[in-house]
Amino acid sequence: MPEPRTRVAVVGATGFAGALAAAIVARHPSLELAAITARADAGRRLDDLYPRHRVRMELEHFEPESIAARADAAIVAYPHGAAAPAVRALLEDGLKVVDLSADFRLDRDRYERWYQPHEAPELLADAVYGLTELHREDVRAADLVAAPGCYPTAALLALAPLRELAADAIVDAKSGVSGAGREATGTTHFVSVAENVNAYKVEGHRHRAELDRELGEAFPLTFTPHLLPIDQGLLASCYVTPTRELSAHDVREIFATAYAGEPFVELADVPPGVRDVRESNRCRIHATVEPATGRVLVFAAIDNLWKGAAGQAVQDLNLMLGLGEAEGLT
Amino acid sequence: MPEPRTRVAVVGATGFAGALAAAIVARHPSLELAAITARADAGRRLDDLYPRHRVRMELEHFEPESIAARADAAIVAYPHGAAAPAVRALLEDGLKVVDLSADFRLDRDRYERWYQPHEAPELLADAVYGLTELHREDVRAADLVAAPGCYPTAALLALAPLRELAADAIVDAKSGVSGAGREATGTTHFVSVAENVNAYKVEGHRHRAELDRELGEAFPLTFTPHLLPIDQGLLASCYVTPTRELSAHDVREIFATAYAGEPFVELADVPPGVRDVRESNRCRIHATVEPATGRVLVFAAIDNLWKGAAGQAVQDLNLMLGLGEAEGLT
Amino acid sequence: MPEPRTRVAVVGATGFAGALAAAIVARHPSLELAAITARADAGRRLDDLYPRHRVRMELEHFEPESIAARADAAIVAYPHGAAAPAVRALLEDGLKVVDLSADFRLDRDRYERWYQPHEAPELLADAVYGLTELHREDVRAADLVAAPGCYPTAALLALAPLRELAADAIVDAKSGVSGAGREATGTTHFVSVAENVNAYKVEGHRHRAELDRELGEAFPLTFTPHLLPIDQGLLASCYVTPTRELSAHDVREIFATAYAGEPFVELADVPPGVRDVRESNRCRIHATVEPATGRVLVFAAIDNLWKGAAGQAVQDLNLMLGLGEAEGLT
Amino acid sequence: MPEPRTRVAVVGATGFAGALAAAIVARHPSLELAAITARADAGRRLDDLYPRHRVRMELEHFEPESIAARADAAIVAYPHGAAAPAVRALLEDGLKVVDLSADFRLDRDRYERWYQPHEAPELLADAVYGLTELHREDVRAADLVAAPGCYPTAALLALAPLRELAADAIVDAKSGVSGAGREATGTTHFVSVAENVNAYKVEGHRHRAELDRELGEAFPLTFTPHLLPIDQGLLASCYVTPTRELSAHDVREIFATAYAGEPFVELADVPPGVRDVRESNRCRIHATVEPATGRVLVFAAIDNLWKGAAGQAVQDLNLMLGLGEAEGLT
């Protein structure tokens, strides 16, 4: 007799990340998609909104008790601020939760500096930052995991192995438009984006708070996001001045050691393109040294909706539930 | 009686930059397009290859004497190596020449290190690097001008005002595919580029030699090009550690002073997009300071085929011929 | 002494077509941009919204008297319904008007069937349908010209020469996203459009009313619009069953005769791409016969914002003002 | 004990379709990827060429005996002409073969009219046209299946249910660039394709021969392909004049009946976009009637590399091997 599948609800399933999370759960061999919720679109079927995901399930209004009666775990894909109360309700009902918003990624101080007053500060102490490659054991033991932002995912995987060796670092990050969410705005209008590229929020993007927290502000860090005319994909080009001379070989060794055995980190001999990881949960990294300056260059490519959001959430959930980390993700 | 127009030949008019140069010359109020040459496509009309440029002129084989009989000046748009002999022949016949290749952009040593043995080293001493904003008077007096590469154009306009204030600099540059030229390769195939972005030649792109020459190698400079899924447009995102503390206001002043009165440099209050300068000869620049680090951020956007190639060549030619610098370019 | 320029206001200058109309007028040798208006964005400068158009003029609220005091003519770029009262006010103040909306393109019956109750039906009798190639003399004499829709412009230029020879016709039309306007919607979101193509409004798009009016409903006409991942450009692929056998040569002759001397219709030997006419006011047409069926195939490409909107409006205005038809448009 | 997997070779695995076929086979629960071959790239690993497919297998030269010793079936993805001899060799060695080229899709007469002298005409009698939805039982029994072209796949699925009801039909087909193959040409250069759309081969594209064969030339059929700036995806917009009046309801019923139970045909209430089927083996169809003319409109969207090539080949192979038709394809 096959083991019963763990029942998972996706709360807020109509955004890009939530919808993909629902699709991944629906196809997952050990999970069962128990419910999907929406605010404006309750009553519609998810495959009407996203034909390609083929999730033939009706969206319902979010009622925590109703969800709790039918699910063992939840992925919450609400905007920041709205997520915290939903997460609290689900935790109180005994579910394990992966939250895709910023609400549980930061300590309270950083959160309130970059976002707004926190709606559920009492939960912060037990929330685990769900970058599996850095916090695997904590994720395994957690009831509440905050899935990292898309930019921090790529930047941290690029920088973490160099944390003790960096005198400073610059992250020039480039994201596809799906990272800006499903809301139609001047910024996401096709005519604004096509045949264009520009930096934005250059005087401070909120995702830097995650970098600061995880890297400990041990060295000056510049972080500049750019918007690209692609739908999915994110590339972090990182420039690190090392505290001591490193050869390209040294750098390769550092990364090979840091990520040995990682199921979703792939080291490449050439700079990765985001196409290489499209629709996959992998982070593809090339690390080398620029001969002219001795500066360490690290390029990390992810699919912002997979490893940068929904895929990573399922990776977290797999660990929290004692499943294989890569189950349902390959 | 109107003044007779200066007759200009475009040698190598079938590449993207050469074709655009021909089109700009053809519409220029004080220039006359005297001849256009091609190697493989001689005998065809340019508007067959580029309907949108509407240059209804037949391409001919390059014969210097024949060109010299009909033209007073030439824009040469040959690949490096092939350009030098053509340039020499035209100069000997008394034409003023703007060369779009790398052949006359560098001192011999740098050229031969990054490219190949030089075909006409005796001409290097008198060749002027045609970044007008930095070398206007020299361009005015020159018979031979080397139009800068597309990456150096944007990067130098971003960095030159900070030359004496930089402890180090990183140039993360992003180019559209037309910068890779008209040759069909795996790299320029639509399927390689669409929905993709990647760094390339990260251990050394030849355009860095121009940066080194112009900036004097006074500080460590990292230069990394990226390929984007756009056809025209180039953004240089520059990160400069200043030698002394600078405020955003200081930086704005530095740029305002440096580029006061420049017809083709436009300072912007927000990071420029390459769409803002599409099909124009302008370089649009935003310079500021990142509060978290005090690092100076400069973003410079150009159309790689205009200010990065053909437009700049005509800007040079205007000066060499005593015309208004912006004539035919607005 | 140069002749004084005609002063032109652009009413509703913040949409894609209105902004381009302002830019064309601003650069026009015989026109002067007198005023630009906006509803939400009054007080802002147009070059803040559209840096590339470089129109450094402040947007103002629309007050007909104030406009009339400063302008001799106006281009109105309001949505349908909103346009009619504005047009009436301007006409009453003695301005010549080109309207870009649907309000004056149709007889009242067709208008009210496809749109809504008409706001100024008394003006319909004197309004001229501004497809210059078909109604040049009427445009010249008109005080009010309705610039055609983008789809009808391409489709009518493709079909008009065959009007008497068609047993039926199918127009499979493909438009870039700028045709859907500047409003941010689910439809215009980059992620909806990129890597996609779909037909829409297949059971009846309002632009068919213009086709019916101009072609007289003399034969069954199918019209199906499609949305493409490009910003500017529109291709009408037309399939006409002829009432008598026609050779490819016959068809070429028919088009050559129909469009002899037309400044903005360009006949091509191969199917046009929309790139061929990007940022131009031309309509590029290829007409031939499919050997297997004898069916006539006509492909007409325009830039939907130029020949399909703002460029055509200026072409109309040139005629209404007694200027050269192509002035300011090449 | 699990059943041994059927060993499959992919001959010509470096093109877009061949590489995807290798990837699908490699992940297929009942198939084992036994070998992959290449001409120019033998010795390289497939994941060097296509990182995202993650097929870590070395490409080898094609030697039929060697392949036959290790494989039970083969998918051949050679260009037409080159395929036939390879197919013959593999059949002689006892393998079941799905061929992706045109070599076995047509009767000899049609083949030689549109292509070239046939290299293996003796095999034509037993080759089955692998459009499973039309020829399922024949495919099941076949040793050699010719996978249909991408255009015919979409067009035939759109037209087949109307075969007896059509007085004429027009297929306006729109394809992404991957349909043009991996060869770098002027046509596939990013700068040729981006922000463009054009018809091509309007006087006769070879894929029409497949339409003629399958539809029996019972009515006049116009077929016009267009190239779009997308990488994967193909939309066939079909316009059918019915021989008797049909309502939209009639048409929906016809399609519902024709495709009841089909695992890879999906009927939609609205016109499909190619994004809806991206990276899937489905054909998504919307069929309706245009009220103004009574004409039947059918829109069929596929991913040209999946249902239009590699996916369909595996669908065929599944049937030939007695596996579930959808195995490895969902």
Side-chain angles (χ1 to χ4, degrees):
Chain A
M1 208 181 80
E3 215 148 323
R5 298 178 178 204
T6 303
R7 302 165 305 162
V8 178
V10 176
V11 174
T14 56
F16 294 142
L20 178 58
I24 296 173
V25 169
R27 295 192 301 255
H28 193 292
S30 300
L31 303 179
E32 178 195 330
L33 184 62
I36 52 178
T37 83
R39 290 186 286 197
D41 288 307
R44 298 186 65 183
R45 265 177 33 185
L46 188 57
D47 61 342
D48 283 346
L49 301 176
Y50 294 91
R52 63 181 294 229
H53 286 329
R54 309 201 80 204
V55 176
R56 303 175 183 282
M57 183 179 277
E58 195 174 301
L59 293 153
E60 54 187 271
H61 284 286
F62 174 56
E63 291 169 26
E65 295 71 26
S66 167
I67 296 294
R70 290 174 288 149
D72 311 302
I75 294 172
V76 176
Y78 271 2
H80 64 83
V87 167
R88 181 199 280 129
L90 293 164
L91 286 171
E92 285 173 355
D93 283 323
L95 277 72
K96 289 178 185 276
V97 179
V98 179
D99 180 41
L100 279 161
S101 84
D103 283 1
F104 301 100
R105 293 177 192 159
L106 303 171
D107 56 276
R108 183 171 182 174
D109 181 56
R110 281 202 180 86
Y111 182 85
E112 300 197 336
R113 190 156 14 114
W114 287 94
Y115 293 88
Q116 59 188 54
H118 203 287
E119 302 283 337
E122 77 281 7
L123 300 176
L124 286 171
D126 293 330
V128 171
Y129 190 71
L131 191 58
T132 317
E133 289 75 11
L134 304 188
H135 301 290
R136 182 167 284 114
E137 293 316 309
D138 289 340
V139 169
R140 238 188 263 278
D143 288 328
L144 170 55
V145 167
C150 51
Y151 284 122
T153 296
L156 289 169
L157 291 174
L159 294 178
L162 301 168
R163 190 160 29 186
E164 308 305 320
L165 294 161
D168 67 10
I170 285 157
V171 178
D172 182 296
K174 301 137 181 100
S175 174
V177 183
S178 61
R182 190 175 161 234
E183 197 190 348
T185 66
T187 301
T188 62
H189 194 298
F190 185 87
V191 173
S192 305
V193 179
E195 293 293 323
N196 202 4
V197 57
N198 60 275
Y200 66 99
K201 294 196 182 155
V202 298
E203 287 165 22
H205 184 287
R206 295 188 295 213
H207 280 178
R208 93 163 289 131
E210 293 176 50
L211 302 179
D212 286 346
R213 177 182 168 174
E214 289 291 306
L215 297 171
E217 304 189 43
F219 49 84
L221 175 75
T222 289
F223 168 58
T224 309
H226 295 72
L227 188 67
L228 293 192
I230 63 178
D231 59 359
Q232 283 169 239
L234 189 156
L235 179 69
S237 304
C238 304
Y239 304 92
V240 178
T241 308
T243 50
R244 60 176 175 82
E245 197 179 317
L246 295 172
S247 69
H249 179 263
D250 294 338
V251 168
R252 279 196 301 271
E253 286 298 299
I254 289 167
F255 276 81
T257 304
Y259 293 127
E262 282 297 339
F264 293 116
V265 178
E266 179 173 69
L267 302 180
D269 291 337
V270 294
V274 298
R275 270 188 94 93
D276 298 341
V277 295
R278 188 179 171 95
E279 304 288 350
S280 106
N281 198 52
R282 287 174 291 131
C283 178
R284 189 169 164 97
I285 295 178
H286 174 66
T288 189
V289 170
E290 184 185 45
T293 58
R295 193 163 273 140
V296 180
L297 312 182
V298 191
F299 304 92
I302 61 171
D303 185 316
N304 56 300
L305 293 182
W306 280 79
K307 182 64 180 166
Q312 185 147 266
V314 173
Q315 186 182 355
D316 288 326
L317 201 57
N318 282 340
L319 289 176
M320 295 161 78
L321 298 171
L323 304 171
E325 183 170 343
E327 246 192 278
L329 292 169
T330 48
Chain B
M1 207 182 82
E3 214 148 324
R5 300 180 176 202
T6 303
R7 302 166 304 161
V8 178
V10 175
V11 173
T14 57
F16 294 142
L20 178 58
I24 296 174
V25 169
R27 294 192 301 256
H28 193 292
S30 301
L31 303 179
E32 179 196 328
L33 184 62
I36 52 178
T37 83
R39 291 186 285 198
D41 288 306
R44 298 186 65 183
R45 266 181 28 189
L46 189 56
D47 61 342
D48 283 346
L49 300 177
Y50 293 91
R52 63 180 296 229
H53 286 328
R54 310 201 79 205
V55 177
R56 302 176 184 283
M57 183 179 278
E58 195 173 299
L59 293 152
E60 55 187 271
H61 284 286
F62 175 55
E63 290 169 26
E65 294 73 27
S66 166
I67 296 295
R70 290 174 286 150
D72 311 302
I75 295 172
V76 176
Y78 271 1
H80 64 83
V87 167
R88 182 198 280 129
L90 293 164
L91 286 172
E92 286 173 354
D93 282 323
L95 278 72
K96 289 179 186 275
V97 178
V98 179
D99 180 42
L100 280 160
S101 84
D103 283 1
F104 300 100
R105 293 177 190 159
L106 302 171
D107 55 276
R108 183 171 183 174
D109 181 55
R110 281 203 179 86
Y111 182 86
E112 299 196 337
R113 191 159 10 117
W114 287 94
Y115 292 88
Q116 60 189 51
H118 203 288
E119 301 284 336
E122 77 281 7
L123 300 176
L124 286 171
D126 293 329
V128 171
Y129 190 71
L131 192 59
T132 317
E133 290 75 10
L134 304 188
H135 301 291
R136 182 166 284 114
E137 293 316 311
D138 289 341
V139 169
R140 238 188 264 279
D143 288 327
L144 170 56
V145 167
C150 50
Y151 284 123
T153 295
L156 289 169
L157 291 175
L159 294 178
L162 301 168
R163 191 160 27 186
E164 307 305 322
L165 294 161
D168 67 8
I170 285 156
V171 178
D172 183 295
K174 300 137 181 98
S175 174
V177 184
S178 60
R182 187 171 163 237
E183 197 190 350
T185 66
T187 301
T188 63
H189 195 298
F190 185 88
V191 173
S192 305
V193 178
E195 293 294 322
N196 203 4
V197 56
N198 60 276
Y200 67 99
K201 293 196 184 153
V202 299
E203 286 165 23
H205 184 288
R206 297 189 294 211
H207 279 179
R208 91 163 289 129
E210 294 176 51
L211 302 179
D212 286 346
R213 176 183 168 175
E214 289 290 307
L215 297 171
E217 304 189 44
F219 49 83
L221 174 76
T222 290
F223 168 59
T224 311
H226 295 72
L227 187 66
L228 293 192
I230 62 178
D231 57 0
Q232 282 169 239
L234 188 157
L235 179 69
S237 303
C238 304
Y239 305 92
V240 177
T241 307
T243 50
R244 59 176 175 84
E245 197 178 319
L246 294 171
S247 69
H249 178 264
D250 293 339
V251 168
R252 278 195 301 271
E253 287 298 301
I254 289 166
F255 277 80
T257 303
Y259 293 127
E262 281 298 339
F264 293 116
V265 179
E266 179 173 68
L267 301 180
D269 291 337
V270 294
V274 298
R275 270 188 93 91
D276 300 341
V277 295
R278 189 179 171 95
E279 304 287 351
S280 104
N281 198 51
R282 287 174 291 131
C283 178
R284 189 169 164 96
I285 295 178
H286 174 66
T288 188
V289 169
E290 183 185 47
T293 57
R295 194 163 272 140
V296 181
L297 313 182
V298 192
F299 304 92
I302 60 171
D303 185 317
N304 56 300
L305 293 182
W306 280 80
K307 183 62 179 165
Q312 185 147 264
V314 173
Q315 186 182 356
D316 288 326
L317 200 58
N318 282 339
L319 289 175
M320 296 162 78
L321 298 172
L323 304 172
E325 182 171 342
E327 247 192 278
L329 291 170
T330 49
Chain C
M1 208 179 81
E3 215 148 325
R5 299 180 178 202
T6 303
R7 302 165 305 161
V8 178
V10 175
V11 174
T14 55
F16 294 141
L20 178 58
I24 297 173
V25 169
R27 295 192 301 256
H28 193 293
S30 302
L31 303 179
E32 177 195 330
L33 184 62
I36 52 178
T37 83
R39 291 186 287 196
D41 288 306
R44 298 186 65 182
R45 265 179 31 187
L46 189 56
D47 62 341
D48 283 347
L49 301 176
Y50 293 92
R52 62 181 294 229
H53 286 329
R54 311 202 77 206
V55 176
R56 303 176 183 281
M57 182 179 279
E58 195 173 300
L59 292 153
E60 54 186 272
H61 284 287
F62 174 56
E63 292 170 24
E65 295 71 28
S66 166
I67 296 294
R70 291 175 287 150
D72 312 302
I75 294 172
V76 177
Y78 272 2
H80 64 83
V87 167
R88 182 200 280 129
L90 293 164
L91 286 172
E92 286 173 355
D93 282 324
L95 278 73
K96 289 178 185 275
V97 178
V98 179
D99 180 43
L100 279 161
S101 84
D103 282 2
F104 300 100
R105 292 177 191 159
L106 302 172
D107 55 275
R108 182 170 184 177
D109 181 56
R110 281 202 179 86
Y111 182 85
E112 299 197 336
R113 191 154 16 113
W114 287 95
Y115 292 88
Q116 59 188 53
H118 203 286
E119 301 283 337
E122 77 282 6
L123 299 176
L124 286 170
D126 292 330
V128 170
Y129 190 72
L131 192 58
T132 317
E133 290 74 12
L134 303 188
H135 301 291
R136 182 167 284 115
E137 292 316 310
D138 289 340
V139 169
R140 237 188 263 280
D143 288 328
L144 170 55
V145 166
C150 51
Y151 284 123
T153 295
L156 289 170
L157 291 174
L159 294 178
L162 300 168
R163 191 161 27 186
E164 307 305 320
L165 293 161
D168 67 8
I170 285 156
V171 178
D172 183 295
K174 301 138 182 98
S175 174
V177 184
S178 60
R182 188 173 162 235
E183 197 190 349
T185 66
T187 301
T188 62
H189 195 299
F190 185 87
V191 172
S192 304
V193 179
E195 293 294 321
N196 202 4
V197 56
N198 60 274
Y200 67 99
K201 293 197 184 154
V202 298
E203 286 164 22
H205 184 287
R206 296 188 296 211
H207 278 181
R208 90 164 290 130
E210 293 176 52
L211 302 180
D212 286 346
R213 176 181 167 176
E214 289 291 305
L215 296 172
E217 305 190 42
F219 49 83
L221 175 76
T222 290
F223 167 59
T224 310
H226 295 73
L227 187 67
L228 293 192
I230 62 179
D231 59 0
Q232 282 168 239
L234 188 158
L235 179 69
S237 304
C238 304
Y239 305 92
V240 178
T241 308
T243 51
R244 61 176 174 82
E245 198 179 317
L246 294 171
S247 69
H249 178 263
D250 293 339
V251 168
R252 279 195 300 270
E253 286 298 300
I254 289 167
F255 276 80
T257 303
Y259 293 127
E262 282 297 339
F264 293 116
V265 179
E266 180 173 68
L267 302 179
D269 291 338
V270 295
V274 299
R275 271 188 93 92
D276 299 341
V277 295
R278 189 179 171 96
E279 305 287 350
S280 105
N281 199 51
R282 286 174 293 129
C283 178
R284 188 169 164 96
I285 295 178
H286 174 66
T288 188
V289 169
E290 183 184 46
T293 59
R295 195 164 272 142
V296 180
L297 312 182
V298 191
F299 304 92
I302 61 171
D303 185 316
N304 55 299
L305 293 182
W306 280 80
K307 183 63 180 165
Q312 185 146 264
V314 173
Q315 186 182 356
D316 288 325
L317 201 57
N318 281 340
L319 288 176
M320 295 163 77
L321 298 172
L323 304 171
E325 183 171 342
E327 248 192 275
L329 291 169
T330 48
Chain D
M1 208 180 82
E3 214 148 324
R5 299 179 178 203
T6 304
R7 302 165 304 161
V8 178
V10 176
V11 174
T14 56
F16 294 143
L20 178 58
I24 296 173
V25 168
R27 295 192 301 256
H28 193 293
S30 301
L31 303 180
E32 178 195 330
L33 184 61
I36 52 178
T37 82
R39 290 185 286 195
D41 288 306
R44 299 186 64 183
R45 263 176 34 184
L46 189 57
D47 61 343
D48 282 347
L49 300 177
Y50 294 91
R52 62 180 297 228
H53 286 328
R54 311 201 78 204
V55 176
R56 304 177 182 282
M57 182 180 278
E58 194 172 304
L59 292 153
E60 54 187 272
H61 285 286
F62 175 55
E63 290 169 26
E65 296 70 29
S66 166
I67 297 294
R70 290 174 288 149
D72 312 302
I75 295 172
V76 176
Y78 271 0
H80 65 84
V87 167
R88 182 199 280 130
L90 293 164
L91 286 172
E92 285 173 355
D93 282 323
L95 277 73
K96 289 176 186 277
V97 179
V98 180
D99 179 42
L100 279 160
S101 84
D103 283 1
F104 300 100
R105 293 177 191 159
L106 302 172
D107 54 276
R108 183 171 183 176
D109 181 58
R110 281 201 180 86
Y111 182 85
E112 301 198 335
R113 191 157 12 115
W114 287 94
Y115 293 88
Q116 59 189 54
H118 202 288
E119 302 283 336
E122 77 282 4
L123 300 176
L124 286 171
D126 292 330
V128 171
Y129 190 71
L131 191 58
T132 316
E133 290 75 10
L134 303 189
H135 302 291
R136 182 166 284 114
E137 293 316 310
D138 289 341
V139 169
R140 237 188 263 281
D143 288 327
L144 169 56
V145 167
C150 51
Y151 284 123
T153 295
L156 290 170
L157 291 174
L159 294 178
L162 301 168
R163 189 162 27 185
E164 307 305 321
L165 293 160
D168 67 9
I170 285 156
V171 178
D172 182 295
K174 301 137 180 98
S175 175
V177 183
S178 60
R182 189 174 161 234
E183 197 191 348
T185 66
T187 300
T188 62
H189 195 298
F190 185 87
V191 173
S192 304
V193 179
E195 293 293 322
N196 202 4
V197 56
N198 60 276
Y200 66 99
K201 293 195 183 155
V202 299
E203 286 164 23
H205 183 289
R206 296 188 293 212
H207 280 179
R208 92 163 289 131
E210 294 176 51
L211 302 179
D212 286 346
R213 175 183 168 175
E214 288 290 306
L215 296 171
E217 304 189 44
F219 50 84
L221 175 75
T222 289
F223 167 59
T224 311
H226 295 73
L227 188 67
L228 294 191
I230 62 178
D231 59 359
Q232 282 169 238
L234 188 157
L235 179 68
S237 303
C238 304
Y239 304 92
V240 177
T241 307
T243 50
R244 61 177 174 81
E245 196 178 319
L246 294 172
S247 69
H249 178 264
D250 293 339
V251 168
R252 280 195 300 271
E253 287 298 300
I254 289 167
F255 277 81
T257 303
Y259 294 126
E262 282 297 339
F264 293 116
V265 179
E266 180 173 68
L267 302 180
D269 291 337
V270 295
V274 298
R275 270 188 94 92
D276 299 340
V277 296
R278 189 179 170 95
E279 304 287 350
S280 104
N281 199 51
R282 286 174 292 131
C283 178
R284 188 168 165 98
I285 295 178
H286 174 66
T288 189
V289 170
E290 184 184 46
T293 58
R295 195 163 271 141
V296 180
L297 313 181
V298 191
F299 304 92
I302 61 171
D303 184 316
N304 56 299
L305 293 183
W306 280 79
K307 183 63 180 165
Q312 185 147 264
V314 173
Q315 186 182 356
D316 288 326
L317 201 57
N318 281 339
L319 289 175
M320 295 162 77
L321 298 172
L323 304 171
E325 183 171 341
E327 248 192 277
L329 292 169
T330 49

